[in-house]
Amino acid sequence: MSETTTSPAGEGAGAAPEAAPHRYTAALAADIEARWQDFWEAAGTYEAPNPSGDLAGDAAVAARPKKFIMDMFPYPSGAGLHVGHPLGFIATDVYARHQRMTGHNVLHTLGFDAFGLPAEQYAVQTGTHPRVSTEANIVNMRRQLRRLGLGHDQRRSIETIDPAYYKWTQWIFLQIFHSWYDPEADKARPIDTLVAQFEAGTRSTPDGRPWGELSAAERAGVLGEYRLAYASDAPVNWCPGLGTVLANEEVTAEGRSERGNYPVFKSKLRQWNMRITAYADRLLNDLDGLDWPEAIKLQQRNWIGRSEGARVDFPAGERTITVFTTRQDTLFGATYMVLAPEHELIADGSLVPDAWPEGTHEVWTGGHATPAEAVAAYRKQAAAKSDVERQAEAKDKTGVFTGIYATNPVSGEQVPVFIADYVLMGYGTGAIMAVPAHDSRDFAFARAFELPMRCVVQPSDDRGTDTSTWDDAFSSYEAKLVNSSDDTISLDGLGVTEAKAKITEWLAAEGIGEGTVNFRLRDWLFSRQRYWGEPFPIVYDEDGVAHALPTSMLPLELPEVEDYSPRTFDPDDADTSPETPLSRNEDWVDVELDLGDGRGVRRYRRETNTMPNWAGSCWYEMRYLDPHNDSAMVDPGIEQYWMGPREAQPHGGVDLYVGGAEHAVLHLLYARFWSKVLHDLGHVSSSEPFHKLYNQGMIQAFVYRDRRGIAVPAAEVEERDGGYFYQGEKASRVLGKMGKSLKNAVTPDEICAEYGADTLRLYEMAMGPLDVSRPWDTRAVVGQYRLLQRLWRNVVDESTGEVTVVDAEPDEATLRALHKAIDGVTQDMANLRFNTAIAKVTELNNHLTKHYGGGSAPSTEGGAGRRAGGPVPRTVAEHLVLLIAPLAPHIAEELWRKLGRTDSVVHADFPVADPAYVVDETVTCVVQLKGKVKARLEVAPTISDADLEAAALAEPAVVAALGGAGIRKVIVRAPKLVNIVPA
């Protein structure tokens, strides 16, 4: 960059370039930054010692208080980083540097979550193996991140695609597969303990036969109902356009794939699942002990969705339909039932009769000749709708009679059973008892299908109990029960709470129900029909029984294949099924193995699904601790040291975890589940992965579009005449995301080249509060560049390059400015308020510039570079460098060395404020009479109310203004206000 007065950072305009050969410029910044990055890497400056093992180091450092600081795993994109990506990385780096300077052993490192769809799609398009493109992307991102001066312990960096890493991902999967949730112990236990109960007869098999009489396949089937990792035929989210099934959390509210925006359909497939529902209560309750944003806790609570109610059995011929309801008090008002179209009693066709029952209402049939035809047509129609569409309140209610009647267990009445898309399998039992008088959706359905309704909760308005005159349902928890009695029980006159308790007790006594808790949370679908993911360490024998590979056979490495793509289909074709890339590799799929189970060498078939991209990030925080351990996923002592429970962290976990709020119910919930299982099984001491969570905001950028609405390159748009123009035509501008597709991405490489990495770091931290989104403005970057130039001039003579500070005592004004800055920056750093910390550093730097003349142009009298007010005192300069060191580490390290220090500023002690200089010596107190200012007093900040009142009343200007009048009241707000109310 040219050093001219037209440069973007034209400080000292008017000075010829040769007059300031040692000015802080982009070129000098690049030299300083490259040198110190090399030094830090060679010296192992950021290496955090473990208490033991191959990464043990200085015992004195390991004895310090620890801080484990993490960012959410980045994905190595081929496009590299834009300036929005490093926001969180820079923030955690600033915080980590401050923690090192305040006496902590700080673990701060970064790896790459490198399995997943983007690399696979790129491979499909280009024929490049996903590993090749991913590793190239990682190399580029490492270069970009290094250029930012991030203080990561590189020895601990990991990549989920490394077989040495995913060996332990597979191992953890097997721990989950080999365990079950024991409700009595309220924890996961090894599956062998369950087998022992079956063998001893203390736990009965489903059909009552002794365990020894069951075949191997039957035993496997029984255990599959308990295992925390299990395969089952279950309703799944099938996405033909991607050729894979998706977890609920990967489907948008519009019923489309989060990636690619393809339609998603309900289908039934055999898939691997994680029984996360067993941990629902613990996942919910343990949120209270975490230092997380309340908004994220609320999202998790809502996703888990705990509700108390009752299970009620409705006889339906030889079968039973079980419902879950939170309003069991309204059971007498149930006049029909509704099943989800996917309900198993409907899917297997066993309940649906061949013909409509005599007298079936025509509107119930949907115009079909038989129940089977009606049900089949409606199920196909419902499968094409998203859950959001199905539950929309405003839509017309649709459904069809199944031809089945069930019996209301309290009234004994026969109630028709419908299927309707407003009932979902994802909640409760997939079946509801419909009480149309007291539920708005049931009311609308009953009106549409001309179904009866009965009022069983006394309306509090004047509508009465004749439902034929009602326009909508009535629901209240305050009203009394009516029309709710028979020969065995009466709820009439009871309040809702009392009625719930009474009917629940009655249901249990009759053996047709019980009080129960239900959760919205569903088991985690853990299979993907993709190539680029962790292979399952599972093989199947000739009977289809799943067997785990022994640890000695891990890692099971991903084989080479010629075709990486899963078979995809017409995005709208729901009548399709997955075909996995691994299934085409017959030599890998069909193997002969000795699993060490005493059965010798046998022929097996490998699992051809792969794990989802969330698997590797469920536990990566633990591998950072002990990344080279080939005999355990983490040494227990090392895990205890960094993540073990503390008094302020009852569940243990990472001290600070920074990332986007979009992972609230995906990665965060899954990682919590894995941590709890590993804790229960004794592998780790922490039962939660992340103690403190902080969600950074987003750096946004303006998106410019031409008259066709197509995004145009932001860098080529001109701003003139109050508008925006691209190639001579007017363009529109809106604030949006930054990204390659929107043609508005700015890379950190560009900013580093023009200003330096320290300037970029300062600008991103100064843009606003860390948790708030903010717009990027390249033109504003120069403000932080000028801060660094002034800082440089306060220490270095731009003409000679010599240090100009002197060993002199600072005056009192400077001491007060210095210690106020130290006090404020210390508090801001601890609370992640980096924007206000920078403001305080800027204020101190400006004070020095004005007070000592550091901002003046070179003097023509007495030699170039002389300061008008004299040199800055050394102690003040050193403290200023230490204050800015976490934020701008390269220039701080350079100035620290120029100031004669031989140690690294990275491990220097952060300054401590002197309280005597933090408090103002005097404070201006305003004295008001009748609301008008009559005097201003300079008083001590610690003055008492009584002394301040006396001083105000004695002030001559106040005495004169009172003119001898009496005083009715004196309001004192020491030390800044006295308000006198005359009589």
Side-chain angles (χ1 to χ4, degrees), residues 235-475:
V236 296
N237 300 304
W238 165 233
C239 182
L242 291 176
T244 189
V245 297
L246 303 174
N248 290 338
E249 296 86 349
E250 294 172 306
V251 181
T252 68
E254 291 73 34
R256 304 179 75 86
S257 61
E258 190 175 54
R259 184 173 294 278
N261 197 37
Y262 292 108
V264 176
F265 303 95
K266 292 296 182 183
S267 184
K268 200 162 190 178
L269 298 169
R270 189 159 187 82
Q271 302 287 305
W272 281 97
N273 296 271
M274 293 279 181
R275 208 179 299 276
I276 192 173
T277 49
Y279 281 82
D281 268 324
R282 284 172 59 184
L283 289 168
L284 197 61
N285 296 336
D286 289 353
L287 284 170
D288 294 336
L290 301 180
D291 185 3
W292 285 19
E294 282 304 317
I296 299 297
K297 288 185 178 183
L298 180 61
Q299 285 186 67
Q300 289 219 352
R301 289 188 180 107
N302 289 342
W303 191 261
I304 295 167
R306 187 183 193 277
S307 53
E308 295 186 12
R311 173 185 62 78
V312 186
D313 294 335
F314 283 70
E318 296 180 358
R319 307 291 290 271
T320 297
I321 300 175
T322 300
V323 305
F324 170 80
T325 177
T326 58
R327 288 301 303 267
Q328 59 269 40
D329 56 300
T330 63
L331 187 52
F332 279 93
T335 57
Y336 66 97
M337 300 186 74
V338 183
L339 308 184
E342 305 84 6
H343 197 285
E344 59 182 8
L345 293 180
I346 299 301
D348 65 15
S350 61
L351 272 186
V352 180
D354 295 330
W356 294 116
E358 186 177 348
T360 296
H361 199 313
E362 185 177 348
V363 75
W364 295 3
T365 68
H368 294 280
T370 67
E373 291 176 16
V375 167
Y378 190 81
R379 292 183 74 227
K380 186 171 184 178
Q381 173 187 328
K385 295 182 181 179
S386 72
D387 286 356
V388 170
E389 288 176 309
R390 287 171 58 167
Q391 291 195 298
E393 292 290 343
K395 80 176 187 73
D396 292 335
K397 293 295 181 284
T398 63
V400 68
F401 179 42
T402 62
I404 306 164
Y405 283 89
T407 303
N408 184 317
V410 288
S411 69
E413 294 178 355
Q414 293 294 290
V415 294
V417 179
F418 287 76
I419 58 169
D421 60 12
Y422 77 92
V423 176
L424 305 176
M425 280 303 299
Y427 180 77
T429 64
I432 67 164
M433 62 176 211
V435 184
H438 307 294
D439 180 273
S440 58
R441 292 182 306 166
D442 294 347
F443 184 95
F445 190 90
R447 282 285 190 259
F449 287 86
E450 301 178 19
L451 288 157
M453 59 180 72
R454 178 183 296 112
C455 174
V456 294
V457 179
Q458 180 68 52
S460 55
D461 50 29
D462 58 1
R463 70 175 74 188
T465 59
D466 181 4
T467 59
S468 64
T469 64
W470 291 11
D471 294 323
D472 56 12
F474 171 78
S475 180

Side-chain angles (χ1 to χ4, degrees), residues 9 77 138 141 157 187 199 204 229 277 285 295 304 345 364 562 647 668 755 793 812 824 846 882-883 910 912:
S77 163
I138 289 173
M141 285 184 68
S157 184
K187 61 184 289 188
E199 289 177 335
S204 299
T277 49
N285 296 336
I304 295 167
L345 293 180
W364 295 3
E562 294 182 3
E647 184 176 352
L668 289 174
Y755 298 100
R793 280 200 303 275
E812 186 164 325
N846 289 344
L882 291 171
L883 285 179
F910 201 77
V912 178

Side-chain angles (χ1 to χ4, degrees), residues 28 69 89 91 294 319 321 416 445 553 641 644 696-697 891 950 953:
L28 180 58
I69 300 163
F89 303 154
E294 282 304 317
R319 307 291 290 271
I321 300 175
F445 190 90
M553 290 187 180
Y641 172 83
Q696 86 273 17
I891 192 173
L953 293 177

